[in-house]
Amino acid sequence: MSELINNSRNRIDELKSLIKKIHEGVSPEETKSKLIEKLGAVPYGEVVQAEEELINEGLDREEILKFCDLHTQALKGNLDSEFSKPVPPNHPVDIFIKENREIEKVIDGIKHIFHEVKKRPGAQDSNDLLKALHEKFNLLMDIEKHYLKKENLLFPYLEKHEVTGPPMVMWGKHDEVRSFLKSCFPLFENNPDATAEVVNGFIELMFEPTVKAIEEMIYKEEKILFPMCIDLLNEIEWYEIASQFDEVGYCLYSPEGKWEPGFEVDNQKVGQSDKVKFENGSLSQEELEGILNTIPVDITFVDKDDKVKFFSHGGNRIFQRPKAVLGRQVQYCHPPSSVHIVNQILEDFKSGKQSSAKFWINFQGMYVHIAYYAVRNSEGEYLGTLEVTQDINEYKKLEGERRILQYDN
């Protein structure tokens, strides 16, 4: 047993050394040859542990993100998932994998169009193929739901098991894919009469890098992330994750059934609790929850330790808040590119320097007002931060007065 432990420790240390060499400029091909020579097959858990240790030792997450694809290139073909547990039908991981298969079908269609474009003379009108690519990339936009399920449902449970580095790095790669996809669409929309030469230019410039980034993500998921999650999370955690999948939605795939965990699920509602007493009255839990979900704003409360403690759940929530975010560090609920803004707001609220921060944005046809308020007790001590989000389109349109009863349908 000690020999196995020592072998694992040696592989992790060697893997960390090789990753550092990539960051120092050693080519992935040279690193890969050394992996084959010295390590053989690398268990996925050791890859995760190596990256986690490097982050804890001071290697910046952004630096790992920058070289993430080089890591994958160096390790490709050498990751060992032989010891991962089997995946039951309709289990969350099974759904993730089936979504990947559908994504790959779309990518295969895209690659076929790439081939057709390359066969055409450069000056030949290729607007039909550009249109066909546009349709395929529209389908790929559905990948957002695949990534949201990982970010909002899967990653919080990894964090509870103290696996924080790899999810943050992977979220950064999600954002890269999102950015690639977003950058593709102006090429479709602004070139209605493109020749084969122009379309080939678009393929090299943006379409191929986008497809490659998505394929690399699928590899990372199925060789590292999913096997690790299957081994790490228990059935209760998987049940909690699965119960929220419908809320986020599915990517190019609809499950044909439900996964049943190996324990009996009690679906009976919990009885009503005692009333909550306030200075100015009292409310039952049912009444309080009904009020919070009826107020025409979305509310999220982050406690003094930066953990998501509560959110309202009205019928028309602007930004999704699956239950998996409860208890999650709020910094992990935002993409890496905006974490510095979140930290600035929290620091200013905690120090007493500021008590509110407000933003307004255009979002999916809505004019969204987002406000953050420092919550303090009667002694002025910081208790947490309240986020209040609202679509203010209807208020911008108000004119004159309304003094008679008129229902809004």
Side-chain angles (χ1 to χ4, degrees):
M1 179 64 72
S2 62
E3 182 181 353
L4 291 175
I5 294 173
N6 289 337
N7 287 341
S8 176
R9 183 66 258 171
N10 290 338
R11 283 196 300 268
I12 292 169
D13 290 340
E14 183 69 19
L15 186 55
K16 287 166 62 178
S17 174
L18 291 170
I19 290 174
K20 288 178 181 178
K21 286 182 180 178
I22 293 177
H23 290 251
E24 293 167 0
V26 178
S27 72
E29 291 76 14
E30 184 178 342
T31 305
K32 185 172 182 177
S33 66
K34 289 183 178 179
L35 275 170
I36 295 171
E37 176 185 349
K38 296 185 178 181
L39 300 180
V42 181
Y44 56 83
E46 294 177 6
V47 177
V48 173
Q49 185 174 342
E51 291 199 350
E52 191 79 31
E53 288 184 11
L54 285 170
I55 290 172
N56 292 336
E57 292 168 7
L59 188 61
D60 191 82
R61 283 187 176 90
E62 292 298 321
E63 189 71 9
I64 287 185
L65 174 60
K66 181 179 176 182
F67 291 95
C68 186
D69 291 333
L70 293 180
H71 295 179
T72 305
Q73 184 181 343
L75 292 168
K76 188 165 283 187
N78 298 308
L79 290 174
D80 178 14
S81 57
E82 179 182 352
F83 300 104
S84 61
K85 299 174 184 176
V87 181
N90 297 312
H91 184 280
V93 169
D94 182 55
I95 290 172
F96 276 127
I97 291 172
K98 286 177 178 173
E99 288 181 341
N100 280 343
R101 298 293 81 78
E102 296 303 314
I103 293 169
E104 287 173 339
K105 289 178 184 177
V106 176
I107 287 176
D108 285 344
I110 289 172
K111 289 181 175 180
H112 176 73
I113 298 171
F114 288 171
H115 181 68
E116 291 299 313
V117 174
K118 287 177 170 54
K119 290 196 306 184
R120 290 190 176 182
Q124 184 174 341
D125 178 15
S126 296
N127 187 53
D128 58 327
L129 295 181
L130 187 62
K131 182 179 179 181
L133 283 172
H134 192 174
E135 292 172 355
K136 295 293 185 183
F137 274 80
N138 276 335
L139 292 174
L140 284 183
M141 292 300 290
D142 213 37
I143 207 168
E144 177 69 9
K145 289 179 281 186
H146 185 86
Y147 291 168
L148 283 175
K149 289 198 293 290
K150 289 166 62 183
E151 293 165 354
N152 294 331
L153 301 180
L154 193 58
F155 290 175
Y157 285 90
L158 290 178
E159 290 154 13
K160 290 176 183 178
H161 288 270
E162 300 183 349
V163 178
T164 59
M168 181 63 74
V169 172
M170 187 166 279
W171 194 330
K173 300 304 293 184
H174 291 173
D175 285 347
E176 284 188 9
V177 172
R178 289 173 171 128
S179 179
F180 278 142
L181 283 170
K182 184 178 180 180
S183 297
C184 287
F185 282 85
L187 303 180
F188 296 125
E189 295 159 2
N190 300 331
N191 295 276
D193 301 313
T195 63
E197 182 180 8
V198 169
V199 177
N200 269 315
F202 293 162
I203 291 172
E204 293 178 10
L205 173 70
M206 188 55 64
F207 299 160
E208 279 186 337
T210 302
V211 167
K212 182 179 179 182
I214 294 172
E215 289 179 318
E216 293 288 350
M217 178 57 66
I218 290 173
Y219 181 85
K220 294 180 181 79
E221 289 176 355
E222 298 192 6
K223 292 296 184 180
I224 300 176
L225 179 68
F226 297 154
M228 176 184 66
C229 290
I230 282 288
D231 284 347
L232 194 60
L233 306 184
N234 61 46
E235 282 208 326
I236 294 175
E237 291 170 319
W238 281 122
Y239 177 73
E240 292 170 350
I241 292 169
S243 65
Q244 300 175 75
F245 261 37
D246 286 346
E247 186 177 335
V248 179
Y250 301 92
C251 170
L252 302 172
Y253 168 78
S254 296
E256 297 177 354
K258 292 284 185 181
W259 167 68
E260 297 295 337
F263 58 88
E264 186 174 348
V265 179
D266 184 3
N267 291 318
Q268 292 184 346
K269 292 184 178 180
V270 179
Q272 181 176 310
S273 64
D274 294 336
K275 289 190 175 183
V276 180
K277 295 181 180 180
F278 302 96
E279 184 178 351
N280 300 319
S282 63
L283 296 167
S284 71
Q285 180 179 332
E286 183 180 32
E287 290 169 336
L288 179 59
E289 189 164 5
I291 290 170
L292 292 172
N293 289 338
T294 302
I295 295 173
V297 296
D298 297 341
I299 298 172
T300 302
F301 178 68
V302 177
D303 71 11
K304 63 181 180 180
D305 298 317
D306 299 346
K307 294 186 182 296
V308 180
K309 198 72 172 288
F310 168 83
F311 63 88
S312 61
H313 209 285
N316 297 301
R317 226 193 135 80
I318 296 171
F319 300 117
Q320 291 185 348
R321 290 285 190 277
K323 292 179 183 178
V325 304
L326 294 173
R328 191 182 191 191
Q329 201 78 12
V330 70
Q331 288 86 351
Y332 297 143
C333 298
H334 295 79
S337 59
S338 64
V339 169
H340 68 287
I341 299 175
V342 175
N343 285 332
Q344 184 67 58
I345 292 171
L346 294 175
E347 288 170 11
D348 290 343
F349 284 4
K350 290 175 182 178
S351 68
K353 183 178 178 181
Q354 298 290 340
S355 290
S356 68
K358 300 175 183 179
F359 307 85
W360 42 95
I361 61 172
N362 290 297
F363 179 73
Q364 296 183 357
M366 296 178 283
Y367 195 56
V368 180
H369 188 273
I370 307 167
Y372 299 91
Y373 300 99
V375 179
R376 309 186 194 279
N377 63 16
S378 58
E379 304 298 323
E381 297 171 332
Y382 177 77
L383 300 178
T385 293
L386 185 70
E387 179 195 72
V388 180
T389 305
Q390 184 177 21
D391 178 10
I392 60 172
N393 257 333
E394 64 173 299
Y395 301 111
K396 288 179 61 185
K397 299 175 184 176
L398 292 179
E399 294 180 349
E401 297 180 335
R402 178 193 285 183
R403 291 179 174 266
I404 60 173
L405 176 63
Q406 180 179 335
Y407 292 111
D408 296 321
N409 296 322

